[in-house]
Amino acid sequence: MTELIIFLEDIDPVVFFGANNILLDKIRGFFPKIKILSRGNEIKCMGEESEITIFAEKFNDLIDYYHRYNRLDEQDIEKYFLDSEHMRSVSNGEFEQILVFGTSGKPVRARTVNQLQLVNDYKNNDLIIAEGPAGTGKTYTSIALAVKSLKDREVKKIVLTRPAVEAGERLGFLPGDMKEKLDPYLQPLYDALHDMLPYKKLETWLEDGTIQIAPLAFMRGRTLENAFVILDEAQNATMGQLKMFLTRMGASSKFIMTGDTTQIDLPRRNESGLIQAIRILSGIEGVSVIKFDERDIVRHKLVKKIIKAYEKEENGINDPRN
């Protein structure tokens, strides 16, 4: 039996371990063979030497993470103890790169390994396909990159688009003209832009066309040059629509497509252009395909559990034995 004491220097233990030690309990869950006790700024752990050695290394890395980013939550702990690639990226300081400063002054940066890959792949690829479940920050990170590119004058305009597929509701029954019908559907894109640009600047850029938000059908016939173009909810674009969209790419343009192939609202799943695009475009030079998963979820902690529950249900339904 080995005993080790670790001191939290210049750290409030209440903040570090959370209310009612909720974060400490989370850490204990990853080391069931070790007895971990806390008293003020002192952490005492007892167990086999090999287990204590692993715990001490990871716990001290967690302390360094807290000092670097001045925050710690359950998702940080999960990523830190479960995802070794995430830990390496944190240690190398890769998550410190700020994309933009939000309207509240809060820096917007990549928070997960796949978000970081999206940021890095953007530098060397003109087309990025980001596929994965809701809440993983695919669209938000893409819009942050677009705003950064516009501010850095790498592009002259931003074009954000979505296929106008009805997800259980009928657009025709909504009040107003076509713009008024579609604006609520495009609201998530507006929300992300409002997080990153002052209201007056955003309104000016929307009015003069520097930033354009429109349904995918409005892309037909256009050539998008010197533009950062994001197609959101790409899983709801048909194969024909997606081919049309991709052939809009003009000189000095960057295209990002984001989507979740588990949430297809088309009448037939096999019509999704995103599934086809991932299959036929992977491996082409200048194209990056990034697969996001539940480790990238940055919304409420329940979202990860909800997604896993639905995946389990769907796998059970699709099992031939059932």
Side-chain angles (χ1 to χ4, degrees):
M1 181 74 68
T2 300
E3 179 178 305
L4 176 68
I5 295 177
I6 301 175
F7 294 96
L8 298 177
E9 297 182 5
D10 301 321
I11 295 178
D12 183 346
V14 175
V15 176
F16 191 81
F17 291 130
N20 299 318
N21 281 336
I22 186 172
L23 300 183
L24 178 58
D25 289 340
K26 191 79 174 177
I27 294 171
R28 285 179 176 135
F30 289 107
F31 296 93
K33 296 180 181 180
I34 298 177
K35 186 176 182 180
I36 303 172
L37 304 172
S38 69
R39 179 178 294 176
N41 288 65
E42 182 180 294
I43 307 300
K44 180 186 290 186
C45 49
M46 293 166 284
E48 295 298 326
E49 183 176 358
S50 58
E51 292 284 333
I52 293 292
T53 300
I54 294 172
F55 170 79
E57 181 181 351
K58 292 193 173 184
F59 191 82
N60 282 309
D61 284 343
L62 199 62
I63 291 174
D64 290 341
Y65 176 91
Y66 179 84
H67 280 305
R68 176 170 287 175
Y69 297 106
N70 197 34
R71 69 176 177 85
L72 191 66
D73 59 28
E74 291 185 69
Q75 290 183 340
D76 292 328
I77 291 172
E78 283 187 11
K79 288 183 174 66
Y80 218 75
F81 286 117
L82 292 178
D83 191 340
S84 57
E85 189 176 352
H86 182 92
M87 291 176 64
R88 284 195 298 272
S89 298
V90 169
S91 330
N92 296 335
E94 294 180 57
F95 288 110
E96 293 184 12
Q97 179 187 356
I98 296 172
L99 300 179
V100 293
F101 284 96
T103 50
S104 62
K106 183 179 178 180
V108 177
R109 51 164 66 94
R111 293 180 57 186
T112 72
V113 169
N114 284 317
Q115 289 181 16
L116 186 62
Q117 184 181 344
L118 176 58
V119 172
N120 291 335
D121 284 5
Y122 158 79
K123 300 170 187 175
N124 301 312
N125 297 275
D126 290 334
L127 171 61
I128 296 175
I129 303 173
E131 193 279 326
T136 50
K138 307 180 298 295
T139 302
Y140 197 83
T141 305
S142 299
I143 291 178
L145 277 172
V147 171
K148 174 177 168 51
S149 297
L150 185 61
K151 287 185 172 182
D152 292 346
R153 298 186 178 180
E154 295 174 1
V155 296
K156 293 183 178 179
K157 60 187 172 186
I158 295 173
V159 179
L160 307 178
T161 184
R162 274 183 161 194
V165 173
E166 300 159 343
E169 298 102 4
R170 296 289 178 182
L171 293 175
F173 287 100
L174 294 174
D177 58 22
M178 181 57 72
K179 183 180 184 303
E180 291 170 325
K181 290 176 187 289
L182 289 169
D183 271 356
Y185 183 75
L186 300 168
Q187 192 59 45
L189 305 178
Y190 287 106
D191 290 342
L193 288 170
H194 278 295
D195 277 358
M196 301 175 201
L197 291 169
Y199 177 80
K200 288 186 177 180
K201 172 63 73 175
L202 176 57
E203 290 301 305
T204 298
W205 278 348
L206 286 169
E207 288 176 6
D208 66 16
T210 301
I211 295 179
Q212 302 169 22
I213 304 177
L216 179 58
F218 288 25
M219 297 296 107
R220 189 174 298 278
R222 301 185 63 182
T223 300
L224 300 169
E225 298 183 347
N226 296 303
F228 196 122
V229 186
I230 299 173
L231 171 58
D232 191 32
E233 299 288 335
Q235 78 276 4
N236 288 328
T238 65
M239 290 182 279
Q241 287 176 322
L242 212 49
K243 180 181 178 182
M244 176 274 293
F245 170 74
L246 291 172
T247 53
R248 301 306 94 199
M249 184 181 288
S252 303
S253 287
K254 294 277 190 176
F255 273 43
I256 296 182
M257 300 192 305
T258 68
D260 177 4
T261 54
T262 68
Q263 296 193 39
I264 296 172
D265 298 313
L266 294 168
R268 289 183 292 276
R269 176 183 171 82
N270 59 5
E271 290 182 343
S272 174
L274 181 59
I275 295 176
Q276 181 194 47
I278 292 172
R279 185 178 71 251
I280 68 176
L281 300 180
S282 296
I284 294 178
E285 186 177 356
V287 178
S288 169
V289 178
I290 305 170
K291 175 67 177 176
F292 285 69
D293 56 40
E294 65 273 4
R295 294 174 302 171
D296 299 295
I297 293 172
V298 291
R299 290 182 184 170
H300 193 284
K301 60 185 179 182
L302 273 179
V303 174
K304 184 180 298 186
K305 297 178 181 179
I306 290 168
I307 287 173
K308 285 185 175 180
Y310 272 94
E311 286 179 350
K312 184 177 179 181
E313 170 75 4
E314 289 168 3
N315 290 337
I317 291 173
N318 295 327
D319 191 329
R321 292 172 297 180
N322 295 331

